[in-house]
Amino acid sequence: MDEMALDANPAQNLASFVTTYMEPEAVEILKHGMSKNIIDIDQYAQSAELQTRCVNMLADLFHAPRSENSDIIGVGTATIGSSEAIMLAGLAMKWRWREERKKKGLPIDKPNIVMGANVQVCWHKLCKYFDIEAHEAPCTPERLVLTAEVARPLIDENTIGVCVILGSTINGEYENVKDIHDMLMELNEKNGWNVPIHVDAASGGFIAPFIQPDLLWDFRLPLVKSINASGHKFGLVFAGIGWVLFREPHDLPEDLVFHVNYLGGYQSSFTLNFSKGASTVLAQYYQFLRLGFHGYKAVVTNCMSNSQYLRKKLIETKKIYIVDKECMPLVAFSLIDDSSCSVFDLQSRLKARGWIVPAYACPTGATTLKIMRVVVKQNFSCDMADLLVKDIISALDYFEHYPVPKPSSPDTARAAFYAKGAKFVSLPTFKSRGIKTNGVC
């Protein structure tokens, strides 16, 4: 406990999208599920049933096509998080592409996936771990997401899929799934391809359905074959739960599903991980029942309202400009004048007050843009927003009185050094003169 006291205060961790508050009743359910290994569905059949219900609820929320002869509409599984979910969806895309190419007698050695430079690191892991070439579209300071226009020239016959993000980690912006879908429909028809879309809805999957129900991004678009969402983000469960959903059963290749019987009964397994506690699945089911559609809508609406309040307060300082597009409960911003300090200096100063507000350079093509980000979760109130803004103003005032020296470039430093009369003496010259440096270089 003494060492744990040195950790940051989760309520002040504004960097993470991950849920840091749940009701006491939900915490009790988490405790109850800790001793159950949900992969063992023969022994914990009811917990497995609750997972199936969660998959069906999400499939319905994301408008998966309904089967006429079955009440089961969901094809998918719980995962440790969206990283595992994306790995599974990526494998499914690669398998479908490979089987289609085999049937046509075409090469299968150069699969690629199209994505923006703003993707979360798990997409780069997918490409490296599973030998997929990344066709990555660079960003610009004015465009921090993937668009149909920049994605189009990157797509070819070896493209296993296009990753479209609903809620960028960088600035919370939604990529236009409908525009990319329509462009891809045209390309597929023209070239005889069958390139699908995977929507990375790690954050937006639990936001858009509740406050933008008419936004077309999910299984209503026929080329969207798989979706991931993070239950431990705006799904309102503590860390350790993600979901991957497939449009229809044939979108999940049977070859990727393993069947085992050594746990006491015959069961199927479609995960990278095997053993997993039931806690977060049970907690997700609790939240679905506890809140329902209207409860989630109320939570998300309140988060959006609080983020708008914070955005307004930051603008009023006249020292900050906003970078986000108001798609999510997230405020991304930068400094109007960074002559006295950088966003990285501000990050360090705020950390001294307990605030975890990340500063970072934007992705490839936009690295000159340095920004900060606040994720407004359900336990971030307007009062906390006032306290944060007060500390930001205090930090910026401090740097105005005590500006941080700007580091010189190597060329600038060298020019200044020689301008003072210093002379460069090469090592061979030292040796020819018999001069010893005494180990100081």
Side-chain angles (χ1 to χ4, degrees), residues 302-311 328-331 376:
N302 186 61
C303 290
M304 290 293 287
S305 176
N306 289 347
S307 66
Q308 185 58 39
Y309 179 82
L310 174 61
R311 201 174 284 113
M328 290 171 42
L330 176 152
V331 182
V376 178

Side-chain angles (χ1 to χ4, degrees), residues 128-141:
K128 181 165 287 190
Y129 295 168
F130 300 116
D131 198 19
I132 302 169
E133 184 180 345
H135 284 195
E136 190 172 285
C139 299
T140 68

